[in-house]
């Protein structure tokens, strides 16, 4: 069977006066993620997993933080572009799994909204988009609420044309 697997990781610092956007969903929180784009750490990890599956490099290559074009960019739009890049090469996403490491806020009430948002960007049933959340038990940068990190894996298969 012809399958490809990729993994992705990202971390962003938390700071004031920034929105907190995870998996394309804006969350109410007194802190948000710092970054050149909207700093959606979960969507970034997923993009790197998708690119990694085809050994196409990383998101920094396609959307460099030095390029003003991507300033404040909606990461979901970038994810759609990565999905198109994969499809253009004859591949489609089979499923995604991911973990967000955040001490606060509680992510559980928003997980399904994230799965829906990510799934529609990837033309994928939300049943094939795993999003999990964990705290870091107050350990490390995530535990001290200095940042939020995310891990993702993606499985791809060739697009079958009838
Ligand atoms: Mg990032």
């Amino acid at each position: 069977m012809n399958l490809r697997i990729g993994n992705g990781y990202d971390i962003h610092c938390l700071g004031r006066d920034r929105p907190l956007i995870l998996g394309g969903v804006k969350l109410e929180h007194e802190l948000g993620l710092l970054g050149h784009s909207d700093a959606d750490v979960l969507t970034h990890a997923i993009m790197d997993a998708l690119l990694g599956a085809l050994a196409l490099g990383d998101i920094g290559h396609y959307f460099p933080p030095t390029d003003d074009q991507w300033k404040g960019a909606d990461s979901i739009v970038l994810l759609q572009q990565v999905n198109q890049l994969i499809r253009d090469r004859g591949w489609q996403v089979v499923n995604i799994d991911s973990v967000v490491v955040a001490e606060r806020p509680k992510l559980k009430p928003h997980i399904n909204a994230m799965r829906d948002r990510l799934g529609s960007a990837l033309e994928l049933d939300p049943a094939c988009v795993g999003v999990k959340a964990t705290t870091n038990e107050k350990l490390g940068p995530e535990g001290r609420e200095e940042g939020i990190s995310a891990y993702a894996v993606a499985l791809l298969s060739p697009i079958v044309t009838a």
Side-chain angles (χ1 to χ4, degrees):
M1 203 186 295
N2 201 6
L3 294 170
R4 301 292 292 259
I5 191 167
N7 83 92
Y9 164 80
D10 197 17
I11 187 165
H12 281 260
C13 291
L14 283 162
R16 305 223 163 249
D17 303 318
R18 285 281 296 182
L20 176 59
I21 298 168
L22 292 171
V25 176
K26 192 164 183 281
L27 307 183
E28 285 301 322
H29 193 46
E30 73 268 25
L31 300 173
L33 292 172
L34 307 176
H36 186 68
S37 68
D38 64 4
D40 182 341
V41 69
L42 171 57
T43 302
H44 292 184
I46 290 172
M47 286 194 277
D48 264 359
L50 294 169
L51 292 168
L54 295 182
L56 291 173
D58 59 41
I59 55 171
H61 174 74
Y62 296 91
F63 314 108
T66 48
D67 188 339
D68 265 1
Q69 191 184 345
W70 312 119
K71 193 168 157 56
D74 178 349
S75 295
I76 290 290
V77 173
L78 307 186
L79 179 63
Q80 287 169 335
Q81 290 185 27
V82 168
N83 186 50
Q84 193 55 52
L85 201 120
I86 281 159
R87 287 185 164 263
D88 290 346
R89 282 167 175 74
W91 294 82
Q92 64 189 356
V93 184
V94 176
N95 77 305
I96 300 281
D97 190 25
S98 62
V99 190
V100 181
V101 185
E103 211 60 34
R104 284 188 317 131
K106 278 263 171 280
L107 301 184
K108 200 176 171 189
H110 310 286
I111 294 284
N112 284 339
M114 294 178 200
R115 293 172 59 219
D116 287 346
R117 199 80 216 286
L118 294 163
S120 67
L122 293 169
E123 304 167 81
L124 194 60
D125 191 317
C128 300
V129 183
V131 177
K132 308 186 296 299
T134 184
T135 71
N136 222 27
E137 297 285 339
K138 298 194 168 14
L139 295 167
E142 299 96 327
R144 291 189 296 268
E145 298 183 46
E146 293 166 3
I148 291 178
S149 65
Y151 300 80
V153 291
L155 190 70
L156 309 186
S157 69
I159 296 170
V160 181
T161 45

